[in-house]
Amino acid sequence: MARTPPRALVRTTVSEQTYEDIKERIIDQTLPPGARLNIDALARELSVSSTPIREALARLEREQLVSLELYAGYSVAPPPQPEYLEGLLEFRILWEGHCALIGAPKKRPETLRALEQSYKKMRAIKRLGTKYREYRKFTDEDARFHQAIIDSAENPAMSKIYAGLHIILLQSRLYLTRSATGAPSELVLGEHERILEAFVAGDGEAAQAAIASHLEGGRSRLKRAVTG
């Protein structure tokens, strides 16, 4: 009996690649803020049907990278204002710190494993590069690391809401100047390491303090990035 071709798997792969292609163009500003996104033109350019384009744009709208206006269609969303992200970092200090205070003493193996794996992958990256395709490995692991902190509190509502904010993806849109040869900052890696050590020790207060220090540092780095 002939086996049915894995159509769903192929479709998912095309949809995912289409999503990544459009997201890359937005973050690298090949598609600048405000640019209109014509579904038929994108389909021709990426050699796909309109279905994965529509799926990608709907997903990118949820991530606040594109906007949909009635009768006007999709366009590239403007980057978030620095003041918004700065306030979001302040909120994260409270939110992630609260989850760490609760979650670190639990010493759940899955939490420790997730934090350690993401930290090791960030540490192994030797060059960030200047394009999204190059530095996305680092930002993806950074996002997983911080999601693991939230998840450690075992509050499904918090986990879902935090994941839906796409904080690190939005933040990356403001870092428009990057060194072509720059490696991940030892300062940033050290901040992540101290958070991991506090979780390994099961010390909620130390984890909370390490997160506050890391995110305060992130706020300072963000200010420098947007002011040049």
Side-chain angles (χ1 to χ4, degrees):
M1 183 176 179
R3 296 178 61 187
T4 303
R7 293 180 182 176
L9 178 60
V10 173
R11 184 169 177 272
T12 299
T13 301
V14 171
S15 296
E16 185 69 23
Q17 185 58 56
T18 302
Y19 158 77
E20 286 294 343
D21 284 345
I22 299 174
K23 181 166 73 169
E24 178 182 359
R25 297 175 189 210
I26 292 172
I27 294 179
D28 289 345
Q29 293 203 9
T30 304
L31 289 169
R36 293 293 179 186
L37 300 171
N38 182 281
I39 291 174
D40 292 335
L42 286 170
R44 288 193 299 271
E45 189 174 348
L46 297 176
S47 300
V48 297
S49 70
S50 62
T51 299
I53 299 292
R54 293 179 188 279
E55 291 173 348
L57 293 177
R59 186 173 171 185
L60 292 165
E61 183 188 12
R62 292 194 297 271
E63 295 178 348
Q64 303 176 57
L65 293 179
V66 306
S67 301
L68 176 61
E69 298 178 37
L70 188 63
Y71 307 122
Y74 288 101
S75 61
V76 177
Q81 291 296 312
E83 295 79 10
Y84 171 80
L85 283 179
E86 192 175 333
L88 199 54
L89 282 165
E90 184 174 343
F91 183 57
R92 287 177 65 194
I93 291 172
L94 299 175
W95 197 351
E96 293 187 32
H98 169 76
C99 289
L101 187 64
I102 295 170
K106 295 176 184 283
K107 300 186 72 170
R108 297 172 67 231
E110 53 267 50
T111 298
L112 300 179
R113 183 166 55 249
L115 291 171
E116 185 173 7
Q117 287 177 349
S118 290
Y119 170 72
K120 284 183 176 179
K121 288 178 181 179
M122 285 189 283
R123 172 64 71 179
I125 294 170
K126 302 303 180 186
R127 177 181 176 276
L128 287 177
T130 60
K131 300 295 184 181
Y132 170 71
R133 183 173 296 187
E134 297 170 320
Y135 62 75
R136 65 168 285 203
K137 290 181 180 179
F138 188 91
T139 55
D140 283 353
E141 293 305 329
D142 192 13
R144 290 189 185 101
F145 186 95
H146 287 277
Q147 185 68 49
I149 293 171
I150 297 294
D151 294 345
S152 73
E154 299 184 275
N155 184 316
M158 283 189 174
S159 291
K160 183 177 181 179
I161 294 169
Y162 184 91
L165 292 174
H166 307 288
I167 294 170
I168 293 174
L169 177 62
L170 291 177
Q171 192 170 307
S172 70
R173 296 190 73 191
L174 295 184
Y175 288 86
L176 299 180
T177 56
R178 298 172 187 265
S179 168
T181 58
S185 164
E186 284 296 326
L187 176 61
V188 172
L189 289 170
E191 290 168 358
H192 284 89
E193 185 175 16
R194 284 188 286 277
I195 296 170
L196 173 59
E197 289 173 345
F199 268 84
V200 170
D203 190 333
E205 291 185 356
Q208 185 181 44
I211 288 166
S213 177
H214 170 51
L215 294 177
E216 285 289 359
R219 183 154 53 180
S220 297
R221 289 186 286 271
L222 180 64
K223 285 182 179 178
R224 291 197 296 271
V226 298
T227 60

